[in-house]
Amino acid sequence: MGQIDRDRTWAVVPVAGFGTRLQPHTHTRPKPLLHVAGQPILGHILDQMVALGIERIVLVVGYMGEQIIDYVQQRGDFARVESVEQPEPLGLGHAIYLTRSIVGGDPMLIVYGDTIFQADLQALWQAAGDGFLGVKKVGDPERFGVVVEERGQVVKLREKPEEFVSDLAIVGTNLIANSSLLFACLEQLLERDIRTRGEYQLTDALQLMVERGAQLGTFPVENWFDCGTREALLLTNRYLLAQAPVPEGPRDTVIIPPVHLDPAATVSRSVIGPYVSVGRQAKVDNSIVRNTILGEQAMVEDLLLEDSIVGFQALVRGRAGRVNVGDMSQITA
């Protein structure tokens, strides 16, 4: 295989999950649109795609998918925005297979829609091979698809192995040059109903690619955040804010960085930070807030708040401690 043609490459982003571990926030919006460090999870992912020069994207949507499509279109980052629906949660492999009529034989960069990553992908455009998998060593490989490498080539893949195979996990970013072969392997899984843990797995299709002689390499992912739980979302918020500029607050408010303060937010008589993200048109008055994400138009008054997520248009007043408040909710004491 020759070098990968960036101009023909699709960003393929599966965003069809229900986000049950992040309820109540995902009752009213899909997980990729939950905010972290000043913008939706998906916004951070799209920033990476734009930086790579990718101009075409296909979204695999399901639960409240119209919100995701609207968000991507309104950003205006891509010359082409396509979408397909995954009506049933049949696995990541199934989700990718649904894009075959759009992607065809073009290269594709597969990025999981709830995973924020930081990796240097620019050099991959000059590399030759059938694909490259983003990997990172982990202490709990039984939770992931893992790869075994020999002399720089992937020779074996296993999805969530019960016995140790490798500690090199596939972490949600894969550049596939030979998309036609991957789609053929995914089709084989579906035709033969080959499932792992009840779902059609991308890892199993990648293993079939190797068995058919595909040359798959790997690249390191320096930082990777699976934003699947409240705790993980707050941890991601902390890390991303550490790289953000220090905002200025009003004279009657103390800002302890790192903090994201949306220009359209209002804070008064408060101490904000560290590790706080305050969304657009949110309001904070007479409060101390730390290690917290405040959604758009959220209101916080007369309290000490920490280690919390407050959703869109939620009101929290006069209560000390930790909360996990969904959109348009109210807590007062």
Side-chain angles (χ1 to χ4, degrees), residues 93 97 130 133 154-159 170 178 180-196 200-216:
Y97 181 71
D130 293 296
L133 313 181
V154 175
V155 297
K156 184 178 182 180
L157 301 99
R158 287 282 303 276
E159 176 68 21
I170 307 170
N178 194 348
S180 297
L181 179 56
L182 176 58
F183 286 132
C185 292
L186 288 167
E187 186 171 22
Q188 180 179 333
L189 294 183
L190 271 64
E191 287 179 346
R192 300 183 181 181
D193 197 26
I194 300 173
R195 308 190 191 201
T196 300
Y200 300 107
Q201 301 291 348
L202 177 61
T203 305
D204 293 339
L206 294 170
Q207 173 63 31
L208 289 177
M209 287 184 70
V210 170
E211 293 172 5
R212 294 190 185 189
Q215 295 184 356
L216 299 181

Side-chain angles (χ1 to χ4, degrees), residues 286-287 300-304 315-320 331-333:
N286 192 36
S287 298
V300 172
E301 299 176 350
D302 306 323
L303 77 155
L304 165 63
L315 168 63
V316 186
R317 176 188 293 132
R319 180 186 180 99
I331 295 179
T332 60

Side-chain angles (χ1 to χ4, degrees), residues 1-13 48-50 52-58 77-82 99 102-111 121-122 124-127 129-132 173-179:
M1 296 286 295
Q3 296 176 353
I4 298 173
D5 187 344
R6 185 192 323 226
D7 294 335
R8 292 176 47 236
T9 299
W10 287 88
V12 175
V13 187
Q48 294 272 23
M49 304 299 98
V50 172
L52 287 170
I54 295 176
E55 297 186 346
R56 305 190 294 178
I57 186 170
V58 54
D77 294 321
F78 301 93
R80 285 187 63 183
V81 177
E82 303 285 349
T99 71
I102 298 172
V103 175
D106 292 338
M108 58 180 166
L109 179 64
I110 302 169
V111 182
L121 302 183
Q122 293 292 351
L124 296 181
W125 301 123
Q126 307 303 320
D130 293 296
F132 302 89
T173 306
N174 306 301
L175 181 58
I176 305 298
N178 194 348
S179 297

Side-chain angles (χ1 to χ4, degrees), residues 29 280-282 294-299 310-316 325-331:
R29 66 182 62 199
R280 183 176 60 87
Q281 296 181 341
L294 301 181
E296 296 179 351
Q297 300 180 36
M299 294 183 63
V310 180
F312 168 75
Q313 288 187 346
L315 168 63
V316 186
V325 186
D327 293 353
M328 297 172 285
S329 301
Q330 180 172 323
I331 295 179

Side-chain angles (χ1 to χ4, degrees), residues 8 15 41 60 84-85 100 128 130 155 207 213-214 238 259 293 308 310 317:
R8 292 176 47 236
V15 283
I41 296 168
V60 185
V84 295
E85 183 179 2
R100 68 197 184 283
D130 293 296
V155 297
Q207 173 63 31
R238 288 173 65 100
V259 165
I293 299 172
S308 299
V310 180
R317 176 188 293 132

